[in-house]
Amino acid sequence: MAKNKSSDYKASNIQVLEGLEAVRKRPSMYIGDTGQRGLHHLINEVVDNSIDEALAGYCDYLKIIIHEDGYLTVKDNGRGIPVDEHPKLKLPAVEVVLTKLHAGGKFDKNTYKVSGGLHGVGVSCVNALSASFYAEIHRDGEIHVMEFQKGRTVTQLKSVGKTKETGTIIKFKPDPEIFTQSTEFKFDIIADRMRELAFLNPEITIDILDEREEDEELREKTFHYAGGVKDFVRFLDENREPMMNEPIYISGEVDMVPVELALQYNNSYTENIFSYVNNINTREGGTHISGFRRALTRCLKSYAEKNNIIKSNSKITISGEDFREGLTGVLSVKVPEPQFEGQTKTKLGNSEVQSAVEIVVYEKLNEYLEQNPKIAKKVLEKVVLAAEAREAARKARQLIQRKSAMGGGGLPGKLADCSINDPEHCEIYLVEGDSAGGSAKMGRNRSFQAILPLRGKILNVEKAKINKILENKEIQAMITALGAGVGHGEEDFDLEKLRYHKIIVMTDADVDGSHIRTLLLTFFYRYMQPLIEKGYVYIATPPLYRITASRGQIDYAWDDDTRDKIIRDLRKSNKKFDVSRYKGLGEMNPDQLWETTMDPETRTLQQVTVENAAAADKMFSTLMGGDVEPRREFIERNAKYATLDI
Ligand code: 0RA
């Protein structure tokens, strides 16, 4: 069908605007949410395109600049977004890429790509959700620029000069009408993702510059890791004691699927395997992870049998997870057309990838074991210990279950339970100390709020075996109260049985309080991870100050600035007042505790989320791991975040 040019142009243009209008109307459908996570997702959408250029071999440098005025720049030295006319739409290709949904422009199936892989929304969404958006393209010897506001073109593509380079510079300012909570970029969130990308792409150098920061040492960071995934594993295990001199490194390619893996056994009791497909963290695992697990189990089992390390008359049965206790690893595969499944679309579905990974890992790991018999023996001895601990833990679990079945109603004696039993509407406060527990019990709304006082410190699960962890009284009480079990297997932990959908950690606002909070979060992260993934864990935020003025006027302040403002206002109105600092929750009477920290109408809870799994692992192993010195340094460096933004 022949159409004239101008109506064609109009038609496609209208379609474009409707597309981006849809993004602005329902942003969460495209970027997940409009909070902190969605805001930072904008950066990833842009960066993904630069990473695609790197995967295709055209880009080895990336720079992110956080500007003082709310703008953010992503600059790369890739080929630059094409600027020639799109044959169908009769628009410059760059305009199509930046204003049309899903228009990556890259239809070549034989390349590995990230953009459009996970959320599939592309840079046009960033454009739609930006108050203003500039693109500067260095390509074919010329500098091309184009400008937009809220996705609408305000400056048509034009050439503004000559260049010898190629690359793309995108500068945008998120629209506060969309991101109503905040449009402030967090250096740490960006740095965690850029570090991860630099580990996964050893050829890339990534710079981040925070122009808001005055401290020269904190303003700039450069990530470049020539050692790739091997460096990644070393980094993750910095605060653990490795069992080998250097990580095992495995690489190979089967059926167009390049596989890369680094592995290291250490002195911890947790499994820390991170997997990536085209640089996307596959949190829910998938076929590549099953391929890896099968290869690891088969390899170690047959080595043990061949070398008589596990006696054939031994009573212990070794299960797959025993081979992975105390194992840190990074698996990175590239897949031309990845199928992502699962609740968060982070589970790889391509069946061909399982055998590709299994073949590569089996062969190379076998070779390694044959060449390193001493290490192989040490690893297998550790595996046997893991199997024994697992067996002991199974018995401990049964004991917890039996004990709770015998006790009245099956719940721990210290628990003041709520009266309704619909988990979705039930909350449990885990409270530090008996006296605060007492206030909380009196102050609560007993219909939907349960209180479990915890005495003293819980065990540091980062340093203990699972069977020891399950012997700990406070941990037992939590497991029974929550009702969902404990551990990694599907039979071990069952979210369906969880008795509360809000688990609120309430500790004092002091050093001990923050230590106990971290111990609890570490336990949940390591042994009840779905609670955190689901967003069921929260931190209560009791006030730091109470300001009492005449006529019974009481104000609370959560920080020094607010306290000072309240004091100024009271002085202005010539009122007498008294300021007291809460040293602990126990000092608050039940009414005050309810009003400030427990009443759903007035309290603020901080939801515990994990933005970046590798960064969270690093944080917990640093905070709770062996050496005091790295822990002290980490806390000093991250004083603002240390316990919250994991
Ligand atoms: C469409 C096609 C090509 C590259 C890009 C888009 C591209 C987009 C962005 C966004 C930020 N940096 C980028 N770099 C490249 C392929 C280019 C070609 O075939 O020459």
Side-chain angles (χ1 to χ4, degrees):
M1 242 191 340
K3 268 189 187 170
N4 76 42
K5 243 186 175 178
S6 75
S7 75
D8 228 20
Y9 180 89
K10 264 190 210 144
S12 56
N13 226 8
I14 288 164
Q15 209 186 328
V16 162
L17 285 178
E18 278 174 354
L20 294 196
E21 237 359 272
V23 178
R24 289 184 61 83
K25 270 206 190 102
R26 308 177 74 181
S28 303
M29 263 190 52
Y30 298 85
I31 55 164
D33 63 60
T34 55
Q36 178 164 276
R37 186 176 276 182
L39 178 74
H40 290 82
H41 187 90
L42 299 180
I43 307 170
N44 294 337
E45 280 301 334
V46 182
V47 167
D48 281 355
N49 288 274
S50 311
I51 294 298
D52 282 350
E53 287 294 284
L55 288 177
Y58 297 104
C59 170
D60 66 1
Y61 181 73
L62 186 60
K63 179 163 188 167
I64 294 185
I65 306 166
I66 313 168
H67 301 281
E68 275 179 281
D69 54 7
Y71 277 90
L72 185 131
T73 294
V74 179
K75 179 182 167 153
D76 69 47
N77 67 349
R79 285 170 290 181
I81 308 178
V83 288
D84 47 335
E85 193 184 67
H86 191 282
K88 265 209 205 122
L89 300 175
K90 309 293 178 203
L91 292 168
V94 53
E95 188 164 357
V96 178
V97 169
L98 298 181
T99 58
K100 226 175 132 44
L101 281 182
H102 303 288
K106 299 174 207 177
F107 304 109
D108 186 356
K109 285 191 173 171
N110 293 327
T111 58
Y112 312 105
K113 54 178 185 290
V114 201
S115 61
L118 186 51
H119 295 94
V121 293
V123 259
S124 59
C125 277
V126 181
N127 187 10
L129 302 177
S130 294
S132 28
F133 185 107
Y134 301 91
E136 179 178 318
I137 294 136
H138 293 232
R139 195 175 161 113
D140 307 325
E142 291 200 57
I143 303 172
H144 312 266
V145 297
M146 192 163 185
E147 290 180 50
F148 307 84
Q149 279 170 8
K150 301 180 183 181
R152 291 166 188 265
T153 307
V154 294
T155 308
Q156 295 292 347
L157 184 68
K158 64 179 180 194
S159 173
V160 295
K162 302 272 174 220
T163 179
K164 288 199 174 90
E165 320 285 323
T166 66
T168 306
I169 302 168
I170 303 283
K171 183 174 176 184
F172 66 97
K173 186 188 174 109
D175 190 348
E177 285 174 26
I178 304 282
F179 300 93
T180 47
Q181 286 175 31
S182 166
T183 54
E184 192 189 329
F185 290 116
K186 291 260 169 74
F187 185 86
D188 286 39
I189 296 180
I190 301 171
D192 285 342
R193 175 62 180 153
M194 296 309 129
R195 184 187 301 107
E196 190 175 40
L197 283 172
F199 280 128
L200 295 168
N201 304 278
E203 68 285 356
I204 280 199
T205 301
I206 305 178
D207 281 337
I208 316 178
L209 170 64
D210 187 350
E211 293 183 339
R212 305 165 305 185
E213 176 65 61
E214 277 161 28
D215 187 335
E216 286 298 325
E217 270 185 44
L218 302 175
R219 237 172 106 84
E220 249 184 302
K221 247 186 191 160
T222 297
F223 298 116
H224 175 72
Y225 302 100
V229 290
K230 220 167 144 176
D231 281 351
F232 201 167
V233 165
R234 282 198 195 96
F235 168 82
L236 289 167
D237 271 358
E238 230 163 43
N239 300 301
R240 302 185 178 107
E241 226 172 279
M243 274 174 60
M244 39 210 12
N245 287 333
E246 60 175 324
I248 306 170
Y249 175 77
I250 288 170
S251 77
E253 182 174 329
V254 174
D255 294 340
M256 279 275 294
V257 177
V259 177
E260 246 199 315
L261 171 70
L263 284 179
Q264 175 161 276
Y265 281 94
N266 58 56
N267 67 340
S268 82
Y269 305 103
T270 42
E271 170 185 343
N272 273 304
I273 315 286
F274 297 97
S275 67
Y276 297 85
V277 174
N278 301 356
N279 294 314
I280 295 164
N281 182 199
T282 31
R283 293 261 281 269
E284 298 172 278
T287 51
H288 54 328
I289 276 290
S290 4
F292 157 71
R293 287 180 170 177
R294 283 173 55 105
L296 182 80
T297 303
R298 273 176 50 211
C299 240
L300 285 169
K301 254 197 176 138
S302 75
Y303 184 90
E305 279 163 15
K306 232 181 2 208
N307 295 279
N308 279 320
I309 297 178
I310 300 171
K311 305 279 177 298
S312 50
N313 63 0
S314 155
K315 280 203 204 90
I316 354 168
T317 46
I318 298 184
S319 89
E321 63 187 289
D322 301 329
F323 292 104
R324 303 189 299 271
E325 189 185 285
L327 179 61
T328 295
V330 175
L331 171 65
S332 171
V333 301
K334 303 274 154 54
V335 180
E337 284 181 87
Q339 305 295 319
F340 292 107
E341 303 169 348
Q343 288 210 326
T344 55
K345 291 266 176 282
T346 56
K347 181 175 181 182
L348 185 70
N350 304 53
S351 57
E352 75 279 9
V353 180
Q354 175 168 328
S355 54
V357 175
E358 194 172 341
I359 291 167
V360 172
V361 176
Y362 188 82
E363 188 192 314
K364 302 281 167 68
L365 190 58
N366 243 347
E367 239 172 72
Y368 179 90
L369 295 174
E370 296 294 344
Q371 286 163 8
N372 298 275
K374 276 202 192 117
I375 294 177
K377 188 157 178 278
K378 251 181 25 188
V379 166
L380 282 158
E381 282 163 2
K382 182 182 166 69
V383 169
V384 172
L385 290 179
E388 285 168 357
R390 186 174 44 78
E391 180 56 25
R394 195 179 60 82
K395 288 189 182 138
R397 271 196 194 90
Q398 284 174 343
L399 207 66
I400 295 174
Q401 265 170 7
R402 213 173 311 140
K403 256 201 268 176
S404 62
M406 284 190 316
L411 293 166
K414 296 191 300 174
L415 174 76
D417 207 6
C418 50
S419 54
I420 63 168
N421 52 21
D422 171 11
E424 214 184 304
H425 298 105
C426 290
E427 311 179 344
I428 183 168
Y429 276 80
L430 306 174
V431 188
E432 169 187 1
D434 284 334
S435 78
S439 293
K441 278 180 196 176
M442 285 195 274
R444 68 177 172 148
N445 179 329
R446 63 180 60 232
S447 84
F448 65 95
Q449 292 180 318
I451 310 293
L452 181 67
L454 297 172
R455 206 169 291 133
K457 300 211 160 156
I458 74 158
L459 192 73
N460 179 356
V461 301
E462 205 67 21
K463 288 189 184 169
K465 282 193 196 198
I466 175 78
N467 52 332
K468 286 286 159 216
I469 293 170
L470 295 183
E471 280 170 18
N472 182 273
K473 292 278 175 286
E474 306 303 303
I475 286 181
Q476 285 181 1
M478 277 194 289
I479 296 170
T480 328
L482 296 180
V486 62
H488 307 284
E490 272 173 36
E491 335 67 74
D492 296 333
F493 189 81
D494 184 0
L495 262 186
E496 296 286 307
K497 296 207 181 112
L498 185 66
R499 301 180 60 247
Y500 317 89
H501 282 190
K502 278 204 173 73
I503 296 148
I504 303 164
V505 176
M506 187 158 77
T507 58
D508 290 342
D510 59 10
V511 180
D512 272 353
S514 90
H515 189 211
I516 292 169
R517 178 170 61 214
T518 314
L519 287 164
L520 285 168
L521 293 183
T522 311
F523 171 60
F524 291 142
Y525 187 68
R526 296 289 186 213
Y527 291 96
M528 297 188 178
Q529 207 166 95
L531 294 187
I532 298 202
E533 303 276 343
K534 280 275 179 191
Y536 290 161
V537 181
Y538 296 83
I539 289 164
T541 52
L544 285 180
Y545 302 101
R546 184 180 52 166
I547 302 109
T548 333
S550 45
R551 283 206 217 103
Q553 181 190 341
I554 298 178
D555 288 291
Y556 300 98
W558 274 258
D559 55 60
D560 292 7
D561 287 349
T562 321
R563 176 201 57 191
D564 295 344
K565 187 183 175 308
I566 293 168
I567 292 176
R568 272 198 308 276
D569 290 348
L570 288 168
R571 285 220 172 96
K572 260 191 225 146
S573 49
N574 272 325
K575 283 190 182 153
K576 275 197 184 156
F577 62 87
D578 181 55
V579 182
S580 62
R581 191 192 159 99
Y582 288 116
K583 285 193 202 71
L585 293 164
E587 284 181 12
M588 264 189 246
N589 69 38
D591 287 346
Q592 292 166 356
L593 195 58
W594 165 257
E595 202 182 320
T596 60
T597 318
M598 297 179 73
D599 178 0
E601 297 292 320
T602 51
R603 72 183 176 195
T604 48
L605 294 179
Q606 278 179 282
Q607 193 175 33
V608 176
T609 57
V610 170
E611 293 300 335
N612 185 306
D617 170 65
K618 180 73 177 190
M619 189 198 76
F620 284 123
S621 71
T622 311
L623 283 174
M624 296 286 113
D627 299 334
V628 177
E629 194 49 28
R631 177 158 68 229
R632 197 179 60 78
E633 277 173 24
F634 186 91
I635 293 173
E636 280 172 9
R637 257 189 300 120
N638 297 279
K640 285 177 289 189
Y641 310 104
T643 51
L644 293 181
D645 283 332
I646 38 177

